[in-house]
Amino acid sequence: MLQVREIHTGRLLGTIDLTGDGELAASAAELHDMFVQTMASRGLSAAEVFEWYTGWSNGYVEIVPVD
């Protein structure tokens, strides 16, 4: 499972995970849409886009694995 957190406050914005059948499960529609858009634009599978965003940050939010 990945957590999306605000960098400056540490506030949890949502989570995203892979289901047992390899589909994306997100706590917010915006997160799901972001991952699906990346899948389509880069030609990645759900597992590949999950890996792509693990550790990703834009300076405002970070996507980190749950320990």
Side-chain angles (χ1 to χ4, degrees):
M1 176 180 295
L2 300 176
Q3 293 182 339
V4 181
R5 293 195 168 271
E6 245 179 30
I7 290 175
H8 298 292
T9 65
R11 183 172 66 106
L12 178 64
L13 301 175
T15 60
I16 193 152
D17 204 357
L18 286 174
T19 64
D21 60 355
E23 297 294 319
L24 295 170
S27 64
E30 295 86 2
L31 288 176
H32 185 267
D33 292 348
M34 181 177 85
F35 275 58
V36 169
Q37 182 178 13
T38 302
M39 287 170 59
S41 68
R42 298 196 178 268
L44 300 174
S45 69
E48 289 169 328
V49 79
F50 188 85
E51 183 67 30
W52 172 275
Y53 276 112
T54 300
W56 179 89
S57 174
N58 66 359
Y60 299 100
V61 298
E62 62 184 351
I63 301 177
V64 296
V66 176
D67 293 331

